[in-house]
Amino acid sequence: MAPSIRACLAPVFITSIFANLIHAATVTYDFNITWVQANPDTAFERKVIGINGQWPIPTITVNLGDRLVINVNNQIDQDTSLHFHGLFQKGTTHMDGPDGVTQCPIIPGSSFTYNFTVDQPGTYWYHSHSKGQYPDGLRGPFIVLDPENPFVDQFDEELVLTFSDWYHDQMPKLLADFMSVTNPTGAEPVPNSALMNDTQNLTIPVQPGKTYMFRMINMGAFAAQYVWFEGHTMRIVEVDGVYTEPTEADMIYMTAAQRYSVLVTTKNDTSANFAIVGSMDQDLFDAIPEGLNPNVTSYLLYNESKELPTPAFVDEFDPFDDMTLAPEDGLDLFDNVDYSFNLDLKMDNLGDGANYAFFNDITYVHTKVPTLFTALSSGKDAENVAIYGSNTNSFVLNKNDIVEIVLNNNDPGKHPFHLHGHNFQLVVRSEDEAGAYGNNATGLPRKPMRRDTVLVRPNGHIVLRFKADNPGIWLFHCHIEWHVASGLIATMIEAPRELQETLHVPEDHYAACRAAGVPTEGNAAGNTVDFLDLTGENKSPDLLPAGFTAKGIVALVFSVLAAFLGMAVIAWYGAAPITSGELAASQRRVEESSVVEK
Ligand code: C2O
């Protein structure tokens, strides 16, 4: 099975149509969320979450400045929502997507419209932000074309190359097994395989002496991938929507949710074909299952009559360090920090025996009222962090403050951290085992690299800075989907009083809440009278009793917990019937309003 990249990536070739238009179009997609059968690694057929009866799901393609309208109709038997990863959603925090935070779930059989303008160029992706769902297939590329791309003269053609880990089991089962007393160490499920463009052994026809821009996206649930092009050097020109000073790299380490645009110039002769390799970082896996192939290979196809080479074996990895990148716009370091806070990360067991993830000893638990609606309904209490609940790691940010997050990773794992609504300057990143940040860094980069997802090393730290210029509710979380489930989430409540004055939430968002039985007023506990009274709020399980180890508690609570977990899972995933709807073909419409030909 070796589909050509053209078949997979048709939307990208719309580039030439748009190149001579000046923006202000409205692009509309009708997305019916549907189950589809797929077998992308040719090892196991399973059901996946598709769109309009298709999987892989469509690439969303817009021009910088376009308005995007996505009409979602949920035709599967699970709640859903869509997040547009990396888009700032300036003025439209209610379109950001996290179920239970900025919106209510889109329940089975119901509809919901996302509608916002896109003011950032570059490479993004979209994915479900509901109950660990996206690794079941509901994730795809989101490309914002920019006629003013500073590198537009330096490449001949652009292509999207997605990377992903892949599981044969469905997420509801994997999540239940992961968050369980039977998994007290919190070992994450290991993927069954790796994919590129949702397949393997993809051949990409190329011509000699040309330059291609590959928009690379890691849409995986868990695994970072080392990426290299045999026999070719990459020139990085964009990370996570930020143009960079062109920088050469032979190997890139791409965590879950990161993106890199790289220019690759082909050779002048066509005597051989070359492998493109993605290799999952096996340091992340607690145990390596026998027979796991951590690699996925594609090929630069120069010559169809030549063989496809077997990639050279590599087990020493020396990837490019993204700290050394500089933003093309030359934005200076934010050096007057108004508000700095620490997030100390650890993993530990709670009284139910499962393994949780914590910031500052608090693991995230969803609130009874989505946090955005708490902010909108709380009047002047909106600036009191207590109303957002004691299990949300909420921080209230003042408009235009320079905010600094110091994240100390007290865990031997690598974690990719993502902030919604912003990108951030990566000011400090320690090596492995450096311990907590001592507030003593010298020689900070004058023009630090900015991005929206960043790696923190094992038992190390990172320091991030951003300007709170985007009123809204923005999650900050580890982008390993297992750690979202185990609670590694904090919540930025940015300029909530301004939000109350400026945000208009459309009626269909309230309808979604009514349909789901979720209130849209009140504090985290749903109290609309006394916002400071959190009685009845959702809380994490209690701490383990002193003297108990996680393993010791297994035998004790197993039977009780098994029953309890079973019930919880049923409540989570619902038993609502699948609505029978017609599967429309993937529909994309463009209405040009005030479009001017150059
Ligand atoms: Cu891709 Cu909460 O994010």
Side-chain angles (χ1 to χ4, degrees):
M1 203 179 71
S4 107
I5 198 163
R6 284 170 192 277
C8 293
L9 297 173
V12 171
F13 294 91
I14 296 164
T15 317
S16 52
I17 305 169
F18 285 160
N20 58 349
L21 301 177
I22 288 178
H23 45 64
T26 297
V27 179
T28 304
Y29 287 88
D30 296 325
F31 281 175
N32 296 332
I33 312 294
T34 52
W35 287 115
V36 180
Q37 289 292 121
N39 186 1
D41 62 4
T42 68
F44 188 81
E45 180 168 307
R46 51 161 289 178
K47 62 177 194 173
V48 300
I49 304 175
I51 289 180
N52 301 336
Q54 297 170 354
W55 193 88
I57 62 174
T59 295
I60 294 175
T61 309
V62 298
N63 231 11
L64 184 61
D66 282 350
R67 171 165 295 277
L68 177 63
V69 178
I70 299 181
N71 299 308
V72 177
N73 182 251
N74 181 6
Q75 300 181 1
I76 60 170
D77 53 347
Q78 299 177 1
D79 293 348
T80 195
S81 75
L82 293 181
H83 168 57
F84 308 92
H85 182 116
L87 295 190
F88 301 153
Q89 297 287 7
K90 215 160 194 176
T92 47
T93 187
H94 55 305
M95 300 295 177
D96 192 44
D99 163 7
V101 181
T102 58
Q103 68 166 85
C104 295
I106 309 172
I107 64 164
S110 69
S111 296
F112 189 94
T113 296
Y114 294 95
N115 181 339
F116 52 89
T117 54
V118 181
D119 293 321
Q120 304 154 252
T123 308
Y124 304 89
W125 60 302
Y126 70 109
H127 61 80
S128 165
H129 214 302
S130 189
K131 302 177 184 73
Q133 184 177 61
Y134 81 76
D136 278 338
L138 193 49
R139 76 282 184 285
F142 185 126
I143 306 301
V144 187
L145 301 170
D146 175 12
E148 314 278 307
N149 179 334
F151 306 105
V152 77
D153 296 334
Q154 296 184 33
F155 60 90
D156 299 291
E157 202 174 319
E158 61 173 84
L159 304 160
V160 175
L161 204 53
T162 67
F163 296 77
S164 179
D165 46 22
W166 189 248
Y167 292 89
H168 292 165
D169 284 329
Q170 306 277 323
M171 287 301 282
K173 174 187 186 307
L174 291 171
L175 283 163
D177 293 349
F178 171 63
M179 290 305 297
S180 162
V181 66
T182 59
N183 183 31
T185 62
E188 298 84 1
V190 176
N192 297 92
S193 55
L195 305 175
M196 264 193 246
N197 283 9
D198 289 319
T199 187
Q200 295 176 334
N201 301 314
L202 174 77
T203 55
I204 303 170
V206 292
Q207 304 199 316
K210 290 220 147 127
T211 299
Y212 294 82
M213 182 170 78
F214 289 90
R215 297 181 180 269
M216 306 197 298
I217 307 170
N218 186 340
M219 316 190 298
F222 178 23
Q225 292 200 34
Y226 297 96
V227 175
W228 65 95
F229 289 65
E230 287 196 342
H232 297 70
T233 300
M234 297 173 271
R235 239 181 332 139
I236 300 167
V237 293
E238 180 219 330
V239 285
D240 299 356
V242 179
Y243 293 127
T244 64
E245 298 289 347
T247 307
E248 289 198 348
D250 291 321
M251 179 185 281
I252 287 174
Y253 184 82
M254 194 160 47
T255 72
Q258 287 185 328
R259 291 89 64 209
Y260 282 85
S261 284
V262 298
L263 303 182
V264 175
T265 299
T266 51
K267 299 186 181 295
N268 285 323
D269 73 274
T270 60
S271 57
N273 300 314
F274 291 86
I276 308 170
V277 185
S279 185
M280 295 192 289
D281 178 3
Q282 297 184 81
D283 288 355
L284 296 162
F285 306 157
D286 282 32
I288 316 246
E290 214 181 291
L292 175 73
N293 177 2
N295 295 348
V296 55
T297 308
S298 295
Y299 301 93
L300 293 176
L301 187 72
Y302 282 80
N303 188 331
E304 274 188 55
S305 67
K306 301 283 179 186
E307 64 176 21
L308 299 176
T310 305
F313 179 74
V314 173
D315 66 351
E316 293 275 321
F317 299 96
D318 183 19
F320 174 82
D321 177 2
D322 61 341
M323 273 292 279
T324 63
L325 288 168
E328 190 261 349
D329 61 15
L331 186 72
D332 289 326
L333 173 72
F334 297 132
D335 50 8
N336 289 310
V337 173
D338 297 296
Y339 180 34
S340 177
F341 57 88
N342 281 29
L343 293 174
D344 294 336
L345 185 172
K346 71 166 188 191
M347 305 286 194
D348 204 354
N349 299 91
L350 288 177
D352 63 359
N355 194 278
Y356 288 82
F358 302 81
F359 280 138
N360 303 343
D361 296 322
I362 292 169
T363 186
Y364 184 89
V365 178
H366 273 291
T367 50
K368 289 191 168 166
V369 177
T371 303
L372 174 61
F373 293 114
T374 295
L376 293 178
S377 64
S378 53
K380 60 179 177 14
D381 286 335
E383 287 176 330
N384 186 333
V385 76
I387 70 169
Y388 301 103
S390 37
N391 269 105
T392 58
N393 285 304
S394 288
F395 295 84
V396 175
L397 310 181
N398 296 324
K399 180 81 184 285
N400 290 330
D401 270 4
I402 300 299
V403 178
E404 179 182 81
I405 299 177
V406 176
L407 191 150
N408 296 312
N409 178 15
N410 302 316
D411 176 75
K414 302 173 186 170
H415 299 272
F417 277 97
H418 170 50
L419 176 61
H420 289 222
H422 294 274
N423 53 35
F424 43 73
Q425 297 183 332
L426 178 51
V427 175
V428 178
R429 175 170 53 212
S430 78
E431 292 303 320
D432 295 9
E433 308 300 327
Y437 179 58
N439 282 301
N440 52 359
T442 51
L444 299 182
R446 292 318 304 161
K447 297 182 188 302
M449 194 269 297
R450 299 196 306 284
R451 62 185 319 165
D452 62 47
T453 307
V454 68
L455 174 75
V456 62
R457 297 186 186 286
N459 291 303
H461 57 260
I462 45 176
V463 179
L464 316 175
R465 291 181 187 171
F466 63 96
K467 184 171 184 183
D469 56 3
N470 189 7
I473 308 300
W474 310 115
L475 292 184
F476 176 80
H477 63 88
C478 176
H479 218 292
I480 291 176
E481 198 64 345
W482 308 115
H483 301 163
V484 170
S486 63
L488 201 45
I489 303 178
T491 316
M492 306 298 127
I493 316 285
E494 191 165 327
R497 293 289 275 164
E498 180 172 328
L499 212 52
Q500 292 172 353
E501 281 156 33
T502 54
L503 198 70
H504 172 73
V505 178
E507 170 50 31
D508 73 318
H509 289 225
Y510 289 103
C513 297
R514 284 193 299 276
V518 175
T520 51
E521 282 181 0
N523 65 13
N527 192 325
T528 55
V529 179
D530 180 358
F531 274 77
L532 298 178
D533 179 0
L534 275 294
T535 309
E537 68 171 329
N538 296 335
K539 302 268 276 181
S540 56
D542 290 335
L543 295 171
L544 275 176
F548 275 89
T549 64
K551 281 180 183 141
I553 209 163
V554 169
L556 232 132
V557 298
F558 177 75
S559 56
V560 179
L561 191 85
F564 174 77
L565 251 187
M567 276 164 53
V569 169
I570 289 164
W572 246 31
Y573 294 101
I578 303 180
T579 327
S580 66
E582 290 172 28
L583 304 185
S586 172
Q587 283 176 359
R588 181 184 194 277
R589 306 187 294 281
V590 182
E591 284 162 41
E592 311 288 354
S593 55
S594 63
V595 168
V596 188
E597 300 274 339
K598 255 187 193 166

